Amino acid sequence: MPRSKTLPAELDPSARQLVTRLRRLKDHSELTMRQLAAKTGYSAKSWERYLGGTSLPPREAVEALARITGTDPVPLLALHEIAADSRDGRRARPAVRQQDEQRGREQEPPAHPTARPLAVPAAPTPPRAPEPAPGRFPHIALTAGIAALAVALSAVLLLVLRLDDDAGKAAVTASPRTTAASPPPSYTCHIARVDGRWSAGINKGRTTEIGYGATGADVAEAQCLLRRAGISPGGIDGMFGPLTLRAVKTFQDRAGLTADGIVGPRSWKALRG
């Protein structure tokens, strides 16, 4: 998604701050929408809505993006919680207003168009103090509660923004060696025949069983060997995601093995040929 795309003007400040942080993480990691979808399990169209500000991303999507970019998820999740509370508060206000109007209509006394005035006027009675309108006190209390909640959320948002600014300044002035998040390891395929078997030169010939969600050199070795067999597992990133799972099942089906998506001893033997 282009960085220059403007967020909707009606977007809540906390949601705007969250989307800006997510956009920044995506741009710094140089991930495409397809790669983001493959690594997080959420579709590319969903990420277009999340990063475009038209839909609040689920908490799990925020955690997944923080994980694959090596970022502390706590500040992001705090912004997400504030944005979600603000969104729920805006949704609740029309319903509360409708309930108050309905309660006021139910408590109005019925009209009596057929009533006739008395022939003899009644004796004057002393004026009475006006009574509060039905349903007014609950409405005032509810309004005061919403106002107090808004003030509390604003205070939390200001605190989070201040912490975020301080963290940004520290990241600018810090040396690259002092950054908390280290870049993910990179792998390069060096396909060669070793003792009559194919090897990518990454995991030293291990046959460790790996499956969906696994990470590391064993996964990168399998991805290289899948690519050598003519089946694309996506990137050689050492992450056993949806694309790698589909590639493993395709290879197992072609090799006459049980297509369970788990690379065990028999699958390793077939991959190394």
Side-chain angles (χ1 to χ4, degrees), residues 44-67:
K45 290 185 178 180
S46 296
W47 277 111
E48 289 178 0
R49 294 195 304 271
Y50 302 156
L51 299 180
T54 59
S55 178
L56 184 66
R59 178 187 178 93
E60 293 76 9
V62 176
E63 290 179 328
L65 181 56
R67 174 177 56 80

Side-chain angles (χ1 to χ4, degrees), residues 193-234:
R193 297 283 286 184
V194 178
D195 296 331
R197 305 180 68 185
W198 289 108
S199 171
I202 298 178
N203 76 339
K204 300 179 180 180
R206 291 193 298 270
T207 58
T208 305
E209 183 176 287
I210 55 175
Y212 187 79
T215 59
D218 294 327
V219 179
E221 177 87 5
Q223 290 172 332
C224 290
L225 295 177
L226 286 168
R227 181 173 291 180
R228 188 208 67 82
I231 304 173
S232 175

Side-chain angles (χ1 to χ4, degrees), residues 4-235:
S4 59
K5 186 173 181 180
T6 305
L7 294 174
E10 65 276 7
L11 193 63
D12 182 78
S14 55
R16 181 181 298 274
Q17 177 69 10
L18 174 62
V19 173
T20 301
R21 289 289 304 277
L22 297 181
R23 282 184 172 187
R24 190 184 307 164
L25 291 177
K26 175 189 173 298
D27 293 339
H28 287 177
S29 63
E30 298 182 351
L31 291 171
T32 64
M33 284 299 182
R34 290 187 177 181
Q35 291 173 338
L36 194 59
K39 293 177 181 294
T40 62
Y42 292 86
S43 67
K45 290 185 178 180
S46 296
W47 277 111
E48 289 178 0
R49 294 195 304 271
Y50 302 156
L51 299 180
T54 59
S55 178
L56 184 66
R59 178 187 178 93
E60 293 76 9
V62 176
E63 290 179 328
L65 181 56
R67 174 177 56 80
I68 65 176
T69 56
T71 304
D72 183 9
V74 174
L76 296 175
L77 294 178
L79 283 174
H80 181 275
E81 184 174 356
I82 296 172
D85 290 342
S86 179
R87 178 196 58 184
D88 294 341
R90 289 196 305 271
R91 290 180 178 177
R93 289 171 190 168
V96 171
R97 188 181 302 111
Q98 184 177 1
Q99 292 176 358
D100 290 342
E101 293 176 355
Q102 179 65 25
R103 184 163 51 246
R105 287 195 297 268
E106 291 177 353
Q107 294 182 356
E108 290 180 356
H112 297 282
T114 58
R116 297 180 180 179
L118 297 175
V120 179
T125 56
R128 299 174 58 185
E131 297 181 356
R136 182 172 180 82
F137 286 156
H139 178 67
I140 293 176
L142 180 60
T143 302
I146 293 176
L149 178 60
V151 172
L153 291 176
S154 299
V156 174
L157 177 59
L158 290 175
L159 178 59
V160 171
L161 293 177
R162 181 173 298 176
L163 292 175
D164 181 60
D165 291 340
D166 293 341
K169 294 177 181 178
V172 171
T173 57
S175 171
R177 299 190 180 188
T178 61
T179 54
S182 58
S186 59
Y187 301 96
T188 303
C189 301
H190 298 286
I191 302 297
R193 297 283 286 184
V194 178
D195 296 331
R197 305 180 68 185
W198 289 108
S199 171
I202 298 178
N203 76 339
K204 300 179 180 180
R206 291 193 298 270
T207 58
T208 305
E209 183 176 287
I210 55 175
Y212 187 79
T215 59
D218 294 327
V219 179
E221 177 87 5
Q223 290 172 332
C224 290
L225 295 177
L226 286 168
R227 181 173 291 180
R228 188 208 67 82
I231 304 173
S232 175

